[in-house]
Amino acid sequence: MKRIIKKYVKSILIIGILLVLCDFLSALPPYIVKQVVDIDFTREDIFQTILFFIFIYTSIHLGKILFKYIRDVLINTTICKILKDIRKILFDKILNFKMITFNQYNSSELYTRLTSDVDNLFNLFFGFLYKILSNILYIVFMIIMMFVANINLAVIGAITVILISLIVYKFTKILGKLDNEILKKRDREHKEFSELYNKNKLTYLFKLQNKNVNKMNDLFYSELKIRKKYIFTHHFPYWIIAIIQAIGIYAIIYYALNINVTISLGSIYLVLYYTKECKTPLEEICNQLEELQTCINSYKRIRVLMNETGEENIEEGEYIENLNGDIEFQNVSMKYDKEMILKNMSFIIKKGTKVTIAGRTGVGKSTLTNVLMKLYDIESGRILIDNHDISKITTKCLRDNISYISQNPYIFADTVRNNITLGNKQITDKQINQLIQDMGVENLFSKLDDGLDTKIKLSKLSYGELQIIAFIRAILHKANFYIFDEPTSNIDLQTERMIQNIIDKISKKSTVIIIAHRKSTIESSDKIIYLKDGQIDTIINKNLGTNCYKL
């Protein structure tokens, strides 16, 4: 954040100067009126003197309007540039998170940081912070003008303003705590609603509507109770401020008319005006400070995100031009939080073989491939590819040589072509169409209105059809290693056989690792690695027989 502010330090300094100038000019007109009130109207040049003060008074207002316009335009422009930079840095930061860091946040949290929290920063800088500073400067200049007019009256006026300020500050702190509680309640509501929305089918199938409505109503009622406290606290200090101001004004008039009768009428007017006028900026500060709490909380959340250290550097290490060879796990253990997922795992996958990782749900099959792709760091041991320790080569190098397809197809709301190529211009339409024919899935693509230019609507295609598109993408991004995580779990048997044929062709030139449960997939593999409780239970080599590992 400091780096961004430094980039615009000149603009911020100019804004600061214009802010001071505008508030000084705003406080000056009553002083001009005071001078006019105190004029000796019997003097000979009275007409010229009044014309002079009218000219000064008009010039002050015109200057204030001009400087205020320049200030607001400059503030708006600068803040928009700052927020653009913040959004860019935040987005880059999130995209470079290590997977373990990414998993610490849910999607609604990250979306809120990039949208509403950044928008709140605009309100913080342009809407609240600068207005609060402007009102504070305005009050300071008014107090200075009071002391210029009459020190004794100014003391009474200043005491009045200070008492009001203390009350405003005290209640603003209370409101800040209440606002923070409201924000926590709202975050909980967003999280619950996001979860309910994502599981809407479950809600309908198991008739959970009433249960979910009651859960959300409890959350809404809990927030409402805090909001009632907030509203009461918000309105409570206004009558106290009005009483203090009335007492201050009475004390000024009493002192001027009964104790020090030599004070000029203009000085009395000036101090009374400023004492009364102070109420408006103080009330504005109070209102702004209440809203400011929300913006400050957004700023704190953004700072937490920007200060995250769990970033992935995909360029760090040695780049191997063509990483291709045997894969070897040497006593690999991996821990997520405090739970050990992989335990002292050792095996070798020979280059150009098709290997299936099998086992029950939750035994570490997907985790095994995740550490191979350096999505997570291992706790101990080594992973070697072609005798290169993957911890010492660049992540970019590793992933350039791996093509991956998961059991959940990652499809974007974009054209079919863009979903397949992902911006790789080396993949041609001819290659795409050839693979479609090889797989025998022409029927899927023939029903698309605009062919490869058709924009995918996720609701219009079945899960299996989306999986086929993802599969085509994985194959066309040619690699030395292919990792398929349950690739045929949502595809009919006919399409599965087509895909199995394609996998067989790929495995002749590349190493293929498949996470699977289906018997057909397991039986067609050169090697099967069975996992149990994060450990290797059995390894079966088709040509060498069975090697058993005792747990």
Side-chain angles (χ1 to χ4, degrees), residues 80-93:
C80 285
K81 288 178 180 177
I82 289 173
L83 296 187
K84 180 207 72 174
D85 289 349
I86 289 173
R87 265 204 175 97
K88 182 180 182 303
I89 290 171
L90 269 180
F91 193 70
D92 291 347
K93 184 99 176 176

Side-chain angles (χ1 to χ4, degrees), residues 28-39 53 57 266 269-270:
L28 205 53
Y31 184 78
I32 303 301
V33 173
K34 180 257 183 197
Q35 296 297 108
V36 173
V37 171
D38 287 342
I39 290 174
F53 280 115
Y57 190 86
Y269 156 78
L270 187 69

